[in-house]
Amino acid sequence: MGGSAPDLIAEAHAARAERRHVVAAGFAGRAAAALHEAGEPVAAARAQRLAADCLADGDRHGDALSLLKRARRAFVADDPHGPDVAGAEAAAARSLRALGRVDEA
């Protein structure tokens, strides 16, 4: 296991492909923390979005929504109309529907 953010993201993708959702989210979360420490808020938010996607894959939609809320804030601060914002909203809609909160989705 690597310790750099790119290595951790690669580990997250590999674990996600193996359907080890919580493990994948952990790698992505560690990458997000490293990127945040490095002063790269958008890259950190993208890693956080990956962690949220992994959690949603494992039916941990409430946890995913919490991460998505934080990631979305960073995306909006960077580019309020950018594709990262749209992606975060689409991911949130997936989890909201899974939780039966269809009106919010």
Side-chain angles (χ1 to χ4, degrees), residues 13-103:
H13 283 294
R16 188 179 187 194
E18 295 168 357
R19 303 184 59 80
R20 296 183 303 140
H21 308 298
V22 175
V23 171
F27 283 126
R30 288 177 47 206
L35 290 162
H36 182 74
E37 276 287 314
E40 299 183 42
V42 174
R46 287 180 181 141
Q48 198 165 37
R49 160 77 198 279
L50 174 59
D53 289 343
C54 294
L55 289 171
D57 290 346
D59 290 326
R60 295 189 52 186
H61 294 285
D63 295 332
L65 285 170
S66 294
L67 291 179
L68 288 167
K69 183 184 283 187
R70 285 183 289 202
R72 185 183 182 285
R73 278 194 290 260
F75 295 147
V76 168
D78 180 61
D79 180 2
H81 304 291
D84 286 317
V85 174
E89 289 175 357
R94 170 190 176 198
S95 287
L96 288 167
R97 283 191 304 275
L99 293 170
R101 295 164 55 186
V102 177
D103 289 343

